[in-house]
Amino acid sequence: MRLSQSFIPTMRQDPGEAEVVSHRLMLRAGMIRKVAAGIYSYLPLGLRVIRKIESIVRDEMNRAGAQELLLPILSPAELWQETDRWDFYGKELVRLQDRHERDFCLGPTHEEVVTDLFRREVQSYRQLPLTLYQIQTKFRDEIRPRFGLMRGREFIMKDAYSFDQNETDAQRNYQRMYDAYCRIFSRTGLNFRPVEADTGLIGGISSHEFMVLANTGEELIVFDPDSQYAANVERAEVVAPPVKEPGALSPLEKVSTPNAKSVEDLCALLKIEASLVVKTLLYHTGDNEITAVLIRGDHHANEIKIQRFLGLHDLSLASPELVEKVTAAPVGFVGPVGLSNVRILADNAVSALANFIVGGNETDVHLINVNQPRDFAIDDWGDFRQAQAGDPSPKSGAPLQTARGIEVGHVFMLGTKYSEKMGATYLDSEGQKHHAIMGCYGIGIGRTAAAAIEQNHDEKGICWPMPIAPFQVQILPVTSSEAVRLASEQLYEELNQQQIEVLLDDRNERGGVKFNDADIIGTPFHIIIGDKGLANQALEIKDRKTGEKVLLPPNQVADWIRKAVTQQLHMES
RNA sequence: CGGGGCGUAGCGCAGACCGGUAGCGCACCGCGUUCGGGACGCGGGGGUCGGAGGUUCAAAUCCUCUCGCCCCGACCA
């Protein structure tokens, strides 16, 4: 492709609208342009990257035995009402009506639509297992779209759905997809990690997320370097501490703590460690009903775990008004002692504490030397906090480490959640009816591109891994002589003939402009052609990522490039 | 939705407090000189100042209301 004839509008300056690296570089490299918040046009360069990722995904899906199809983006409300997700999905579902005022939505995911297809077309165990996938634009009216393609309201996703006869087959299918995902992200050249995850709105039994490791990632994961264990902090199990021998219990005391509304304030005031404090979080769990959750002061509550324990799918902290109404104490001074008519849950870590500190249920008062069950009773114990660095690994006991990641893929074992609600059944060899066991598997295509940039860039621009680079080589004629032009054209021809994806910067620009644009775009190899090099019979090949330079006679360049490109294409796979 | 910020030429910004009819850099068009890391000279084009209403002789500037966008928190590929 010739740059002079390409629509690759690079930007000299950083756009004001983008702060995150991948977003900024995608705009600057002329890959994408914004149409509205969270909605982007893919320009030719961006689309080339998207297509490359898609083709790796397609290849591995096919290899894993999945079949590609294409479901509609628009789907009728009735299907969503069958599974209750019409209501459950809430505002994130983009809804619209047709001219007859019938309700529709733009698909945010397609469990309902495939399950409907399945129940109409599949009757026999002989038709199983079945795995279907598609690569399609999805719509989710995100609360806050951000970071360019990282979290859009409209985005391209690969979604796959598996149907099996029994747990064993389903588990095997799940594993096949898991393995395919590992190959996909290895092949794209990304540094990633599969982690145990929460199932969220999709629901189901078990799930793993595929995280691209990057400091800018929105997700926090914990992992154990000694075993394979890794999990999203939302999900990570915290092992209960060993039971502690009760030591000498000091008598309960009231202390004055003016304005100490937070654990921090309190620790500063009393000159104590946060691990000696127990905070009492009050959650709104019903009409005028609150549930107290006790968490050690230096720990973070994990609302997903609490939610799951309580069997709720929505959880929020009680409003200050409700807190005062129920406990008679203002927010900041709530404690479990004397708290009546409130269910009290406590995180396991609290069981190892003695003589701790809690709110006094009175303005500017805390209680010290508190002990349970002496001073108050706990209704239920459980794992209610977020795992953090240093916690023992549930697998090996070794201290966990934390890392940030970008979630690019997610696999779920759904079980019969959808097949039961929608009546997706098959007959076994005995003529017995069973619900199909399902799995679903997503990959954010645009997000993978963004994650690749987060992981592969420097101060000058993108450094694409070869398998997903929009072009493999860029030719930069840096002086304007006829000899340079001819040599560039000749090499361009030669590389094209060898099926190398080459971008020729034949614009009438000075060398500096071309160098900078090539660096932003991030083509893995740059071939620099100038009068000086021609005179010495030595063209310069620069590796974008390492900056290493190779000097070669013009007639050896094409061959060298072909070998280098081939090698980098296969290195990761 | 809560908190913070921003809408002025294609992009990045100034002008606003203190009303007087819009400016800078880059980009763009023409000619010439240049040409290995974002050249230079001369000439040129381009803006209902996000929108609506109000105050005023006069509004980018003051007031009210709106719309859009970005960043921080609760959702997710």
Side-chain angles (χ1 to χ4, degrees), chain A residues 20 165 188 235 275 283 307 516:
Chain A
V20 168
Q165 298 185 55
T188 50
R235 165 77 188 187
S275 57
Y283 287 94
Q307 220 166 289
N516 285 304

Side-chain angles (χ1 to χ4, degrees), chain A residues 130 135 149 167 282 388 391 420 431 449 521 555:
Chain A
L130 180 65
I135 296 177
L149 295 195
E167 290 290 342
L282 299 177
Q388 56 191 39
D391 283 345
E420 276 183 36
I521 290 172
N555 62 2

Side-chain angles (χ1 to χ4, degrees), chain A residues 38-111:
Chain A
I39 300 179
Y40 289 85
S41 295
Y42 300 88
L43 308 193
L45 197 73
L47 187 60
R48 287 182 76 98
V49 175
I50 296 291
R51 292 288 184 245
K52 289 210 169 176
I53 296 170
E54 286 176 353
S55 94
I56 292 171
V57 168
R58 209 168 251 130
D59 190 48
E60 292 296 342
M61 282 296 112
N62 294 343
R63 182 133 76 115
Q67 299 174 66
E68 186 169 9
L69 81 178
L70 189 57
L71 302 167
I73 288 172
L74 200 59
S75 63
E78 294 82 75
L79 287 179
W80 295 79
Q81 284 157 352
E82 282 190 56
T83 59
D84 299 321
R85 280 164 115 194
W86 183 258
D87 296 321
F88 204 66
Y89 226 106
K91 288 190 174 168
E92 209 159 302
L93 193 61
V94 179
R95 294 154 209 262
L96 61 160
Q97 290 190 324
D98 68 8
R99 62 168 70 199
H100 306 294
E101 299 186 345
R102 284 187 284 244
D103 289 318
F104 283 85
C105 67
L106 299 180
T109 174
H110 278 68
E111 284 80 11

Side-chain angles (χ1 to χ4, degrees), chain A residues 254-260 266 269-270 333 363-367:
Chain A
K254 254 191 195 184
V255 292
S256 166
T257 52
N259 292 319
L266 187 66
L269 188 75
L270 301 179
F333 300 98
T363 306
D364 295 345
V365 170
H366 279 80
L367 302 178

